[in-house]
Amino acid sequence: MNTFEEINLKGYVDEEIDPTLDLFAEIEKLKKQKNAVILAHYYQDGDIQDIADYIGDSLGLSQQAAKTDADIIVFAGVHFMAETAKILSPTKKVLLPDMKAGCSLADSCPPHLFKKFKENYPDHLVITYVNCTAELKALTDIVCTSSNAVQIVESLPKDQKIIFGPDKNLGAYVAKKTGRDLVLWNGACMVHEIFSREKITKLKERHPGAKLLAHPECEDVILEMADYVGSTTGILKYASSHQDKEFIVATESGILHQMQKENPDKIFIPAPPNNNCACNDCPHMKRNTLEKLYLCLKNETPEVTVPQHIIEKAVKPIERMLEISAQLGL
């Protein structure tokens, strides 16, 4: 196996794998041997989604991490998600196939700068989107996801002053939906900010019957065009429950795998970004591969750890989110 230094440098275990090996069968075998569970985000590669025990958005994955009885959690997602799992299940071993699977949104909000920002608004409650580091969660009163952000804000007294971070687009959407005046941190997700209004307009001209489904991390100019705005789970449910046959999807393209599996008779088109690529992939999410996942579970590394003092502070706002979500039936 690679040394700790080699894994640290590359971010993953880099070993040769016998090309004749059935990775699906080997992963299933290792899961049973080690009492491990694989949690995967909708933005992961299709192969990883197919081997996962649970596929979901950030809220669903947090709920699963909190209640699993597995000894090992393999988190097929990005670093902040694995950190959240560790915060909610501190006695379990949490593995991430590639430790360098980060998040542009989390990176856009350094905790030391947010702490200074927060000090300017001492009478404000802090709500942070789950897409942030463990250190940022430790500076928070309530964590939210795109599935419950609107409802969490609405559950608070109308005169409660609120800081919302780190995603300014989700924050602006929540402010618009709730009529609240939120103080926003200026952060964003590079994947959701790159969609092109002009290209989507042209695409809609070619597919006049197609419904545009958008994630609230997109800019307002895209959300205004959308027929439906919601979390990854919301987008998936909308496509499955509506009779329309064509959908343009403005979020990370990994979700199309589940959409197509659940609706083989429907057409799903990734919304075009403002670059030369055909679709919109998150380079961090796509760092994880089936091979890395296999080696990670086999060697039980790389392991995600969170300092105990951060866990103690960060668990409170996450648990508050889970409590509010349970009360609201989310």
Side-chain angles (χ1 to χ4, degrees):
M1 194 184 90
N2 303 151
T3 64
F4 175 78
E5 287 75 20
E6 286 172 324
I7 294 168
N8 210 30
L9 189 65
K10 289 185 176 177
Y12 59 94
V13 178
D14 186 14
E15 285 178 8
E16 278 194 32
I17 299 174
D18 180 349
T20 64
L21 209 60
D22 181 342
L23 290 181
F24 283 91
E26 291 301 315
I27 289 167
E28 288 294 348
K29 199 188 298 177
L30 286 168
K31 280 199 301 186
K32 289 190 180 81
Q33 285 173 5
K34 296 172 183 276
N35 187 27
V37 66
I38 297 172
L39 307 182
H41 195 276
Y42 287 125
Y43 296 164
Q44 290 294 287
D45 184 72
D47 282 346
I48 292 177
Q49 292 187 44
D50 290 343
I51 197 70
D53 298 289
Y54 179 84
I55 311 153
D57 60 7
S58 294
L59 176 59
L61 293 168
S62 296
Q63 289 166 332
Q64 289 295 317
K67 69 183 184 187
T68 183
D69 58 1
D71 296 316
I72 295 174
I73 298 172
V74 183
F75 214 113
V78 292
H79 196 269
F80 79 78
M81 296 178 175
E83 278 187 336
T84 304
K86 185 65 180 177
I87 291 164
L88 289 167
S89 298
T91 61
K92 301 184 189 306
K93 183 178 276 192
V94 178
L95 307 174
L96 186 64
D98 191 327
M99 199 62 90
K100 293 192 177 177
C103 172
S104 59
L105 177 54
D107 291 345
S108 74
C109 190
H112 68 287
L113 295 181
F114 187 81
K115 189 179 179 186
K116 286 182 181 175
F117 178 76
K118 178 183 165 181
E119 285 167 2
N120 295 325
Y121 306 93
D123 56 346
H124 284 54
L125 187 89
V126 178
I127 298 177
T128 56
Y129 189 27
V130 71
N131 298 29
C132 64
T133 63
E135 288 89 347
L136 199 72
K137 290 180 177 75
L139 295 169
T140 298
D141 295 300
I142 310 174
V143 167
C144 73
T145 72
S146 53
S147 291
N148 60 23
V150 169
Q151 293 93 326
I152 283 176
V153 169
E154 285 178 337
S155 75
L156 300 170
K158 282 191 164 50
D159 60 351
Q160 175 64 63
K161 295 177 180 177
I162 298 168
I163 294 172
F164 189 98
D167 192 290
K168 64 181 179 183
N169 294 320
L170 177 60
Y173 172 75
V174 171
K176 200 172 183 178
K177 291 290 282 186
T178 61
R180 304 288 183 95
D181 183 20
L182 307 180
V183 175
L184 305 180
W185 174 267
N186 188 26
C189 162
M190 66 181 190
V191 174
H192 289 96
E193 281 225 307
I194 203 171
F195 290 113
S196 163
R197 180 183 181 177
E198 184 186 351
K199 288 182 181 178
I200 291 172
T201 301
K202 286 179 180 174
L203 191 60
K204 280 177 79 72
E205 285 171 6
R206 294 202 301 276
H207 301 269
K211 291 279 191 287
L212 174 62
L213 314 181
H215 193 282
E217 285 181 40
C218 295
E219 292 181 317
D220 189 52
V221 68
I222 303 299
L223 300 183
E224 283 180 356
M225 299 171 68
D227 297 287
Y228 173 78
V229 177
S231 66
T232 44
T233 297
I235 286 171
L236 195 57
K237 284 179 179 173
Y238 184 96
S240 296
S241 62
H242 282 70
Q243 299 303 311
D244 304 275
K245 293 294 182 186
E246 277 190 297
F247 300 90
I248 298 165
V249 186
T251 189
E252 211 275 352
S253 59
I255 196 176
L256 298 182
H257 180 71
Q258 285 304 314
M259 297 179 94
Q260 205 68 72
K261 273 179 81 172
E262 291 188 15
N263 306 277
D265 59 328
K266 296 181 180 181
I267 295 167
F268 299 101
I269 308 157
N274 194 19
N275 57 25
N276 295 323
C277 300
C279 63
N280 212 30
D281 288 344
C282 170
H284 297 291
M285 284 283 185
K286 296 304 192 271
R287 286 188 73 94
N288 296 317
T289 63
L290 197 63
E291 290 76 14
K292 287 178 185 175
L293 192 151
Y294 163 69
L295 291 170
C296 157
L297 183 52
K298 178 188 164 202
N299 296 294
E300 296 186 24
T301 191
E303 182 179 358
V304 172
T305 58
V306 179
Q308 186 57 35
H309 71 281
I310 296 290
I311 288 177
E312 287 168 8
K313 288 180 180 175
V315 74
K316 291 171 186 173
I318 299 172
E319 285 180 342
R320 194 164 174 199
M321 170 189 77
L322 295 175
E323 284 163 15
I324 295 170
S325 296
Q327 288 163 8
L328 298 172
L330 300 174

